[in-house]
């Protein structure tokens, strides 16, 4: 069925304008992005097919150019468009983190870190430097690779925090395994960094672990 054969209020664009984006299904939102279908499928049917084929939006969004373009109805142009949309989302959330008080907006932090770290196939350990009003000064990847206590150099973290004139830090890293639960090594690293930063009166507000769409907070778990 062609989209123009649907009732006006059932067409994705009109539905979004009338009810807001939150009223649309994943397939309907993806259909707006796709704009057109392919032979034998309208845009919504193509979107549904892609979601079934990829299992999750995460898999679709994090596919390589080769993997993405190999799928029916997709190609280089749509890959470029999608990557641009994802990058704009990251920058929008980062802008929110700069503007908002992070301690009062944990969801903004979680959203920003989730979109930054999910889908990565290697571990990344980040620091968010915040001022005395808990607003973001800068974020920085401290190191990549398998995380263990020996990989962290507290002196370098302290130097970076002082360089950015940070009053506090939020740490974050991802678990490519998809299991968000903090390991013993994660807890040891956090304690090690807390102790080092305490010597120069810099607080550690939180340590977040991102695994897929999950984001676990040490502060909410009472681990900080």
């Amino acid at each position: 069925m062609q989209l123009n054969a649907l009732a006006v209020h059932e067409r994705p664009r009109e539905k979004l304008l009338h009810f807001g984006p939150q009223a649309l299904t994943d397939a309907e939102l993806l259909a707006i992005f796709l704009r057109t279908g392919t032979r034998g499928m309208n845009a919504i049917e193509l979107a549904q097919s892609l979601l079934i084929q990829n299992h999750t939006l995460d898999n679709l969004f994090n596919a390589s150019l080769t993997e993405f373009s190999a799928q029916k109805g997709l190609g280089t142009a749509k890959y470029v468009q999608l990557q641009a949309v994802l990058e704009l989302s990251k920058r929008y959330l980062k802008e929110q983190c700069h503007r908002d008080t992070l301690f009062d907006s944990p969801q903004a932090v979680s959203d920003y870190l989730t979109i930054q770290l999910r889908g990565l196939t290697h571990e990344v350990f980040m620091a968010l430097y915040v001022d005395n009003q808990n607003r973001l000064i800068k974020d920085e990847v401290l190191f990549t690779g398998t995380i263990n206590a020996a990989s962290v150099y507290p002196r370098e973290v302290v130097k970076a925090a002082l360089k950015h004139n940070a009053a506090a830090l939020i740490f974050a890293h991802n678990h490519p395994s998809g299991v968000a639960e903090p390991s013993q090594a994660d807890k040891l690293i956090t304690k090690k960094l807390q102790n080092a930063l305490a010597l120069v009166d810099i607080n550690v507000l939180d340590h977040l672990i991102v695994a897929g769409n999950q984001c676990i907070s040490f502060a909410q778990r009472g681990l900080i």
Side-chain angles (χ1 to χ4, degrees), residues 142-174:
L142 295 176
F143 62 89
T144 60
T146 303
I147 294 168
N148 57 61
S151 305
V152 179
Y153 301 96
R155 185 172 70 173
E156 296 304 314
V157 177
V158 170
K159 281 170 61 178
L162 292 172
K163 173 186 171 183
H164 296 299
N165 197 29
L169 274 76
I170 296 171
F171 294 111
H173 76 278
N174 63 314

Side-chain angles (χ1 to χ4, degrees), residues 33-177:
F33 170 76
L34 294 170
R35 292 190 298 172
T36 60
T38 189
R39 181 175 293 180
M41 290 191 287
N42 64 32
I44 296 176
E45 291 165 340
L46 175 58
Q48 289 170 333
S49 174
L50 290 170
L51 290 173
I52 291 169
Q53 186 177 334
N54 289 275
H55 304 295
T56 65
L57 286 170
D58 212 39
N59 290 339
L60 178 61
F61 292 171
N62 287 291
S64 67
L65 172 57
T66 302
E67 293 167 337
F68 187 88
S69 301
Q71 300 179 73
K72 187 176 182 179
L74 302 180
T76 302
K78 281 195 166 52
Y79 178 81
V80 170
Q81 285 178 282
L82 181 59
Q83 293 306 309
V85 169
L86 293 173
E87 183 58 29
L88 280 173
S89 298
K90 291 180 183 180
R91 295 183 188 191
Y92 168 71
L93 290 169
K94 187 171 184 176
E95 195 175 88
Q96 279 191 312
C97 286
H98 276 288
R99 187 191 64 213
D100 296 340
T101 300
L102 299 189
F103 195 69
D104 294 337
S105 305
Q107 191 59 50
V109 183
S110 176
D111 289 345
Y112 173 63
L113 291 171
T114 299
I115 201 169
Q116 285 284 106
L117 297 176
R118 72 180 178 192
L120 296 179
T121 56
H122 57 282
E123 289 193 37
V124 170
F125 192 93
M126 293 179 65
L128 278 64
Y129 306 100
V130 302
D131 64 18
N132 56 12
Q133 294 183 359
N134 292 329
R135 292 175 303 196
L136 182 64
I137 298 169
K138 179 181 174 62
D139 62 357
E140 182 175 40
V141 173
L142 295 176
F143 62 89
T144 60
T146 303
I147 294 168
N148 57 61
S151 305
V152 179
Y153 301 96
R155 185 172 70 173
E156 296 304 314
V157 177
V158 170
K159 281 170 61 178
L162 292 172
K163 173 186 171 183
H164 296 299
N165 197 29
L169 274 76
I170 296 171
F171 294 111
H173 76 278
N174 63 314
H175 281 179
S177 65

Side-chain angles (χ1 to χ4, degrees), residues 167-171 190 193-194 197 202-207 224:
L169 274 76
I170 296 171
F171 294 111
T190 306
L193 291 170
Q194 270 187 292
L197 289 161
I202 296 176
N203 294 323
V204 175
L205 297 178
D206 206 349
H207 183 170
I224 285 183

